């Protein structure tokens, strides 16, 4: 991330990029550490006998890794992004925005210039450029500034991004690029050798070797996302780079690390390729992801629930609610049903159900094993597209267009899909506050993220321009009142404008 974003303890960092300030601190620390750890004179280390079988095996492995790295490097790019982004303070992400420059990595997945990366690398980009290696693997000459794009960098545009999975697709107008192939992450196993590529700390064309430490690692019990854990070195700037298996296939997109220092400590996480492939294909086709839903509210079945409801078993997935007119309702599912399998695979709990359903595309049909009373049946349910969340409807690359400088907010008009996503309002229209900004003259205005602005004094706020023009009429010392909907309640927010 722009500055490492603390997700939870122990410290889990999602790196959107490495910033110039971070580079200065990191390299200064490296220099001091290197000076303090200069080796003292010692007897030369013993050398292995030349021509030994062990040396031959190691040399063969080294040659194979070199050849594999050389073949992958042309498909790895360095990404430069500039824009307004949330800042971090005291290891917490805030709702305040500031201008930041970011550096990340990406993987070329189509010779026509389509690149897969992390959403947090490009999410807030107003200007975006990519440094691409030529097909021989040679990187264009850099001007030496690791956080500024060189003249050879290509302009890029965002095709689509998915904040939930932290994936994005961008494109450069160049054909004939060396593209990677998606591997099958379900066939990846602990102990398998992998290579992590990218631009850690802004250093382009870097590769590190490691093993798969774990698969299907769920970091948030409330999220359906799972990750590949690896000890291959991942640092700020690696975000969006590919994790490659020994067949040269992409099995993951490097996304975050768990660390107490903010640097690599051998616990990195990559988004599995089978998840990335679904998102990649949908972003190219639709510009956004289409998530599947069948219209049920599941809960983990416990002995207490089973006893109280008189159920035949006391573990598994219990249906608490079935949404009216949903695919589940049309298929005949009912409250109190117990789901035992999904596509013939046993279901232990709601986590397992969420992880498997996450990969189901709208239009697909899933087979659910259902226990009702003492009878077990298989029910076919068609997956439909779930409603998009409000965050996914906001074009983060246009953040500067939404800023109201004199009020210190980033506000978005509530209309179209955003209005449907928000749901019922006290009155139609208005502006949704999605962030605060630093360095504004009205920093004391008591506005919060999620507020809906309806009136400024007696002026109806029907557009961003209306609010911006109203703020321009205020002189230092003038008072004004905003009418705000907050948590479904209307209230007045008075403030005094000060330069």
């Amino acid at each position: 991330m722009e500055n490492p974003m603390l997700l939870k303890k122990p410290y889990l960092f999602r790196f959107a990029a490495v910033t110039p300030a971070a580079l200065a601190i990191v390299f200064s620390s490296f220099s001091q550490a290197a000076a303090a750890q200069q080796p003292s004179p010692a007897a030369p280390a013993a050398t292995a006998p030349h021509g030994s079988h062990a040396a031959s095996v190691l040399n063969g492995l080294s040659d194979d890794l070199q050849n594999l790295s050389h073949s992958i490097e042309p498909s790895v790019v360095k990404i430069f992004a500039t824009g307004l982004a949330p800042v971090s303070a005291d290891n917490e992400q805030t709702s305040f925005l500031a201008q930041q420059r970011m550096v990340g990595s990406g993987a070329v997945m189509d010779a026509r210039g389509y690149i897969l990366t992390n959403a947090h690398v490009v999410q807030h980009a107003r200007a975006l450029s990519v440094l691409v290696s030529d097909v021989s693997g040679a990187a264009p000459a850099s001007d030496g500034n690791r956080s500024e794009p060189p003249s050879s960098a290509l302009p890029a545009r965002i095709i689509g991004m998915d904040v939930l999975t932290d994936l994005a697709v961008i494109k450069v107008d160049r054909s004939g690029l060396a593209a990677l192939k998606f591997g099958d992450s379900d066939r990846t196993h602990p102990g398998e050798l992998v290579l992590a590529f990218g631009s850690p700390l802004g250093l382009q064309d870097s590769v590190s070797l490691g093993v798969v430490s774990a698969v299907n690692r769920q970091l948030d019990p409330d999220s359906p996302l799972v990750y590949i854990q690896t000890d291959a070195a991942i640092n700020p700037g690696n975000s969006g780079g590919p994790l490659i298996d020994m067949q040269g296939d992409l099995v993951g997109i490097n996304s975050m690390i768990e660390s107490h220092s903010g640097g690599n400590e051998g616990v990195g996480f990559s988004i599995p390729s089978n998840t990335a492939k679904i998102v990649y294909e949908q972003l190219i086709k639709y510009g956004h992801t289409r998530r599947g839903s069948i219209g049920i509210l599941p809960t983990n079945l416990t002995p207490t629930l089973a006893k109280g409801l008189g159920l035949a078993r006391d573990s598994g997935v219990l249906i608490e609610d079935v949404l009216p007119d949903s695919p589940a309702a049309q298929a005949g599912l009912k409250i109190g049903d117990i789901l035992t399998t999904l596509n013939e695979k046993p279901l232990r709990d709601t986590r397992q159900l969420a992880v498997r359903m996450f990969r189901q595309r709208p239009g697909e049909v899933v087979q659910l094993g259902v226990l009702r009373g003492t009878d077990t049946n298989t029910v076919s349910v068609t997956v439909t597209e779930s409603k998009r969340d409000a965050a996914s409807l906001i074009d983060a690359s246009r953040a500067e267009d939404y800023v109201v400088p004199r009020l210190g907010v980033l506000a978005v008009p509530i209309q179209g899909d955003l209005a449907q996503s928000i749901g019922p309002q006290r009155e139609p229209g208005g502006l949704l506050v999605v962030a605060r900004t630093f360095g504004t003259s009205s920093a004391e205005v008591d506005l919060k993220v999620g507020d809906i602005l309806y009136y400024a004094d007696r002026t109806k706020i029907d557009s961003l321009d209306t609010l911006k023009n109203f703020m321009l009429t205020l002189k230092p010392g003038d008072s004004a009142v905003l009418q705000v909907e907050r948590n479904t309640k209307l209230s007045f927010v008075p403030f005094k404008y000060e330069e």
Side-chain angles (χ1 to χ4, degrees):
M1 50 194 153
E2 302 79 18
N3 290 320
M5 179 172 67
L6 180 65
L7 299 182
K8 64 177 183 177
K9 293 183 178 180
Y11 304 107
L12 189 62
F13 293 103
R14 188 188 298 277
F15 291 122
V18 56
T19 62
L23 279 172
I25 295 173
V26 170
F27 286 114
S28 174
S29 300
F30 282 174
S31 298
Q32 295 172 12
Q37 298 179 11
Q38 289 296 323
S40 55
T47 58
H50 291 294
S52 69
H53 176 68
S56 176
V57 170
L58 290 176
N59 286 334
L61 174 62
S62 178
D63 289 342
D64 289 342
L65 291 175
Q66 289 180 57
N67 292 334
L68 178 58
S69 298
H70 184 71
S71 69
I72 298 299
E73 283 174 359
S75 304
V76 183
V77 303
K78 183 176 181 180
I79 300 173
F80 302 85
T82 303
L84 287 177
V87 298
S88 298
D90 299 327
N91 290 329
E92 291 187 0
Q93 193 78 357
T94 73
S95 60
F96 288 92
L97 300 177
Q99 189 81 14
Q100 293 198 4
R101 298 194 313 274
M102 297 156 282
V103 177
S105 305
V108 177
M109 302 307 301
D110 190 298
R112 296 170 297 174
Y114 288 96
I115 297 166
L116 182 61
T117 185
N118 282 145
H120 69 257
V121 172
V122 301
Q123 182 178 4
H124 305 284
R126 183 71 171 183
L128 191 63
S129 58
V130 173
L131 190 60
V132 181
S133 299
D134 63 33
V135 293
S136 69
S142 172
D143 59 5
N145 189 330
R146 295 170 185 149
S147 62
E148 289 285 351
S151 58
S152 55
L154 302 174
R157 65 183 186 277
I158 298 174
I159 298 299
M161 58 184 163
D162 180 40
V163 176
L164 178 60
T165 57
D166 191 26
L167 290 168
V169 176
I170 64 177
K171 189 178 187 304
V172 294
D173 291 329
R174 174 173 290 186
S175 59
L177 298 181
L180 295 175
K181 184 178 70 172
F182 283 108
D184 184 357
S185 55
D186 288 344
R187 299 173 66 87
T188 301
H189 301 289
E192 182 176 340
L193 288 175
V194 286
L195 296 174
F197 289 80
S199 301
L201 307 176
L203 299 168
Q204 189 177 349
D205 292 337
S206 177
V207 59
S208 58
L209 173 67
V211 300
V212 173
S213 305
V215 295
N216 295 323
R217 181 73 78 195
Q218 189 175 30
L219 304 179
D220 181 353
D222 296 323
S223 170
L225 300 179
V226 294
Y227 297 87
I228 296 172
Q229 181 184 332
T230 178
D231 70 348
I234 298 174
N235 283 289
N238 267 118
S239 280
L243 188 72
I244 302 294
D245 65 12
M246 292 298 102
Q247 286 70 49
D249 295 333
L250 182 146
V251 293
I253 293 292
N254 302 320
S255 182
M256 66 184 85
I257 64 171
E258 191 165 337
S259 172
H260 291 271
S261 64
N264 174 65
E265 293 181 7
V267 185
F269 301 97
S270 298
I271 302 163
S273 59
N274 287 356
T275 298
K277 183 179 180 180
I278 293 173
V279 174
Y280 172 80
E281 291 172 348
Q282 292 189 354
L283 290 180
I284 289 180
K285 187 173 183 179
Y286 306 110
H288 64 271
T289 51
R290 302 176 65 212
R291 305 205 194 286
S293 172
I294 59 174
I296 63 170
L297 179 63
T299 188
N300 287 323
L301 181 56
T302 64
T304 301
L305 283 171
K307 183 177 180 180
L309 298 174
L311 301 176
R313 59 186 292 181
D314 60 5
S315 63
V317 179
L318 176 67
I319 296 180
E320 278 190 309
D321 193 12
V322 179
L323 301 181
D325 301 322
S326 66
Q330 294 170 7
L333 293 179
K334 296 181 179 180
I335 295 173
D337 285 347
I338 301 172
L339 302 182
T340 58
T341 62
L342 190 156
N343 292 338
E344 300 183 349
K345 294 182 179 180
L347 286 175
R348 294 190 306 270
D349 49 34
T350 56
R351 167 190 173 275
Q352 201 170 59
L353 173 63
V355 168
R356 293 181 185 173
M357 281 299 302
F358 188 78
R359 291 184 179 178
Q360 301 297 322
R361 298 174 173 89
E364 293 181 341
V365 176
V366 294
Q367 305 295 325
L368 294 174
V370 180
L371 175 63
R372 181 178 299 165
T374 58
D375 297 328
T376 300
N377 296 294
T378 300
V379 178
S380 299
V381 184
T382 301
V383 179
T384 60
E385 184 175 1
S386 59
K387 185 181 293 185
R388 296 171 64 192
D389 62 280
S392 70
L393 299 171
I394 298 171
D395 185 356
S397 67
R398 294 183 54 207
E400 293 180 28
D401 296 341
Y402 302 133
V403 173
V404 185
R406 287 191 165 199
L407 195 56
V409 300
L410 187 149
V412 180
I414 301 175
Q415 54 192 15
D417 291 340
L418 181 56
Q420 294 181 11
S421 177
I422 290 176
Q425 298 176 228
R426 294 298 297 272
E427 62 177 273
L431 302 177
L432 176 67
V433 176
V434 296
R436 300 294 306 276
T437 58
F438 276 130
T440 62
S441 55
S442 300
E444 301 304 319
V445 181
D446 185 24
L447 290 176
K448 301 182 183 299
V449 173
D451 286 349
I452 300 175
L453 309 179
Y454 289 125
Y455 284 90
D457 285 349
R458 287 165 289 178
T459 301
K460 172 67 174 175
I461 303 175
D462 54 9
S463 69
L464 267 170
D465 287 339
T466 299
L467 180 57
K468 290 179 180 180
N469 291 334
F470 173 83
M471 293 301 300
L472 290 174
T473 66
L474 299 180
K475 299 179 178 60
D478 285 353
S479 297
V481 178
L482 298 171
Q483 186 191 51
V484 174
E485 177 181 339
R486 180 179 297 168
N487 298 326
T488 73
K489 298 178 181 179
L490 293 176
S491 61
F492 293 116
V493 178
F495 67 95
K496 181 178 290 187
Y497 174 71
E498 300 291 349
E499 286 187 329

